[in-house]
Amino acid sequence: MSSSLPKQSDGMYKLVLLHYFISGLCFLLLAVLFLFSIKDLSGHYFNPHLLAITHLAALGWGTLVIFGACYQLLPVLLETDLYSSKLPWFTFMLFIPGLFCLVYSFWVFEPGIHMQAGGLLLTLAILTFCVTVIKTANKSKNSSIHKEFIVTSSIWLAATAIVGTLLAFNFQYAFLPKNHLQYLRLHAHMGLAGWFLMLIIGVSCKLIPMFLVSRIQLSHLLSWSYYLVNSALLLFLIDGYFYGVNVHTYFIAVVLLAGLTCYFVYVKKCFDSRLKKKLDIPILKTVISISLLSVALILIPIIIYSSAKQNGLAVHYSTLYGMLLFMGWITALIMGQAFKTLPFIVWVRKYEHLSGKRKIPMPADLYSSKLLKLQYISYIAFCIVFFCGYLLYSQVMMTTGIGCLLISSLSYLFNLVILIKHEDKSLSHEKI
């Protein structure tokens, strides 16, 4: 078996694994904090516990694992060596303390030195990550749409971090001219649409056809998607800053949906033209992720209408919208793709040099299929029970759903450990 994944140095390989492992720990912590915050879900989303959970989900669970995957996948996606092996370590050493300072300060809600220090450390970490991405992209001789998506997403991430840090200082000094919630809405969508959405489209448009062995790829649709999504986000930021949520937001939502439709059509064509007909659990998780994103998008016109009418349901559906994106779309995608990318990373490191010489395990043999199924089933149960419970205002159902999420996060973390620590017993016997 040959692999397109490059071998990393010992230091970079360990760094990639650290990102996956600590992200898994953050996922477990996220489920635990959710369990203690069920009552907060019935109130306003501008709540200390929900702010802590949101930032843990966005940074500790989502962004951290993306950083780790990028250090391994960027050389493949951009067809060049990573710009630096030292900057990623510097990013990591700034990011981890910044993350926990910020999450802690939100949880206890102390808008002072901890929150400000966390914001500054995270912003510095993100800026060094952006340098790594942009410099690596500049080394690449090939021009491609997925490169544009990845570079642009890193710029949006930097902008999101800078605005977030300004908001952390604004809590104490109140120097920004407009309402804090208005900036928070813009900050959130810069991260969701600018960082996560752009990055996910950029990486998936390369990986999905690769994993499915797709014969047809409508790349021109990705160019349309790129310009439409970025246009929608810029329009939302400008219009939202001056006027908040209003009738113009409907038009902006249509532009965003048009961009996403182009991406969905591209993905569907990849699925329809695939040579690999049987879909494994990680790919099924990707399908679930896209489905949950679609449900979140359906809520947008409802939220716009409720906000314009100053209806109390606007807050209820906004919270649901955020949970569908963080705990649905992003979580399902990470849980699925972690066990498509990491097994190959570990396999390349441990076994590729033995390929053809003896019988060796395949990437899918490096983790527990039973734990993967448990993770899959418990996550599906979470989505059904928790979101139905939220709509029905049932704390019992929400608690049950979060219990399922806890099982899913534990099985995910244990499977990561099995994968990272995997040793082929026959190889061990040979060494003895």
Side-chain angles (χ1 to χ4, degrees):
M1 178 181 174
S2 62
S3 173
S4 59
L5 290 180
K7 291 183 180 179
Q8 295 276 35
S9 64
D10 288 341
M12 283 304 298
Y13 175 70
K14 290 176 182 176
L15 182 62
V16 169
L17 297 187
L18 264 177
H19 278 77
Y20 275 87
F21 178 68
I22 295 178
S23 172
L25 288 175
C26 288
F27 183 31
L28 177 59
L29 179 60
L30 183 61
V32 173
L33 294 183
F34 240 124
L35 203 56
F36 288 100
S37 307
I38 292 173
K39 291 182 179 179
D40 297 313
L41 296 174
S42 59
H44 200 281
Y45 53 80
F46 190 71
N47 172 288
H49 288 179
L50 294 187
L51 287 172
I53 287 171
T54 300
H55 284 84
L56 182 61
L59 296 167
W61 171 224
T63 298
L64 194 59
V65 75
I66 289 173
F67 279 10
C70 280
Y71 296 140
Q72 182 70 49
L73 296 176
L74 276 178
V76 177
L77 298 173
L78 303 181
E79 299 177 13
T80 187
D81 295 331
L82 202 64
Y83 167 70
S84 169
S85 59
K86 293 179 181 178
L87 268 183
W89 276 104
F90 187 62
T91 298
F92 180 78
M93 298 303 290
L94 291 170
F95 193 94
I96 298 301
L99 169 67
F100 288 104
C101 276
L102 192 69
V103 172
Y104 168 79
S105 64
F106 275 126
W107 186 262
V108 300
F109 206 70
E110 292 181 356
I113 187 66
H114 290 100
M115 189 179 291
Q116 294 158 12
L120 288 172
L121 286 170
L122 285 166
T123 299
L124 287 172
I126 286 166
L127 289 174
T128 57
F129 171 77
C130 292
V131 170
T132 301
V133 171
I134 293 169
K135 289 285 190 179
T136 302
N138 287 341
K139 287 176 63 181
S140 175
K141 297 178 180 178
N142 296 332
S143 177
S144 60
I145 189 61
H146 60 264
K147 181 167 86 170
E148 299 302 321
F149 271 107
I150 293 168
V151 171
T152 305
S153 72
S154 69
I155 294 169
W156 278 119
L157 175 61
T160 305
I162 291 168
V163 171
T165 302
L166 290 174
L167 289 175
F169 280 91
N170 191 62
F171 272 122
Q172 187 171 6
Y173 302 108
F175 57 89
L176 293 175
K178 292 186 178 289
N179 184 285
H180 194 92
L181 282 176
Q182 195 164 340
Y183 291 106
L184 186 65
R185 188 184 298 118
L186 302 179
H187 167 67
H189 283 86
M190 287 168 71
L192 284 165
W195 164 234
F196 283 114
L197 183 59
M198 294 291 289
L199 191 281
I200 287 169
I201 293 176
V203 173
S204 64
C205 72
K206 182 78 171 181
L207 294 185
I208 287 177
M210 185 188 303
F211 288 139
L212 295 176
V213 194
S214 302
R215 290 179 289 107
I216 300 175
Q217 299 171 43
L218 304 178
S219 298
H220 66 282
L221 290 177
L222 296 175
S223 297
W224 276 102
S225 180
Y226 176 85
Y227 290 110
L228 287 169
V229 170
N230 275 290
S231 297
L233 182 54
L234 286 169
L235 287 171
F236 177 78
L237 294 177
I238 296 168
D239 189 68
Y241 178 80
F242 289 105
Y243 307 110
V245 177
N246 59 84
V247 68
H248 303 150
T249 317
Y250 285 110
F251 169 74
I252 296 169
V254 169
V255 176
L256 174 66
L257 290 172
L260 285 172
T261 300
C262 292
Y263 169 65
F264 290 154
V265 172
Y266 171 85
V267 172
K268 185 180 184 300
K269 198 64 181 177
C270 289
F271 270 85
D272 292 343
S273 66
R274 70 186 187 275
L275 296 178
K276 187 179 180 181
K277 297 301 180 182
K278 185 179 179 181
L279 300 180
D280 52 19
I281 288 177
I283 291 294
L284 287 172
K285 278 271 183 67
T286 303
V287 175
I288 293 169
S289 170
I290 293 173
S291 302
L292 291 167
L293 173 60
S294 301
V295 175
L297 294 174
I298 292 170
L299 291 175
I300 291 178
I302 300 172
I303 294 170
I304 296 171
Y305 178 80
S306 301
S307 297
K309 296 290 183 181
Q310 295 185 336
N311 190 316
L313 286 175
V315 172
H316 184 70
Y317 286 116
S318 294
T319 303
L320 177 60
Y321 169 75
M323 290 189 296
L324 280 166
L325 291 176
F326 283 114
M327 305 312 299
W329 169 50
I330 293 171
T331 293
L333 191 65
I334 292 172
M335 290 171 72
Q337 290 306 308
F339 287 95
K340 289 297 289 185
T341 55
L342 191 57
F344 279 98
I345 294 170
V346 174
W347 184 87
V348 167
R349 185 71 184 180
K350 293 185 176 182
Y351 300 112
E352 189 183 39
H353 66 285
L354 298 172
S355 183
K357 298 178 183 178
R358 57 184 298 282
K359 187 177 180 180
I360 59 173
M362 301 294 286
D365 299 324
L366 306 186
Y367 56 85
S368 168
S369 58
K370 291 181 180 178
L371 279 177
L372 192 67
K373 288 177 183 176
L374 176 61
Q375 171 195 313
Y376 178 71
I377 293 168
S378 56
Y379 179 73
I380 294 292
F382 158 75
C383 289
I384 295 170
V385 178
F386 176 81
F387 288 119
C388 287
Y390 182 79
L391 288 171
L392 297 171
Y393 299 91
S394 170
Q395 287 195 9
V396 173
M397 289 182 71
M398 285 192 286
T399 303
T400 305
I402 294 172
C404 294
L405 182 67
L406 192 58
I407 293 170
S408 189
S409 64
L410 282 167
S411 57
Y412 174 87
L413 184 60
F414 288 152
N415 224 0
L416 275 185
V417 173
I418 290 170
L419 174 56
I420 291 168
K421 295 289 186 180
H422 185 275
E423 288 292 341
D424 187 14
K425 293 179 180 179
S426 61
L427 261 181
S428 300
H429 291 318
E430 284 183 11
K431 289 178 182 177
I432 293 171

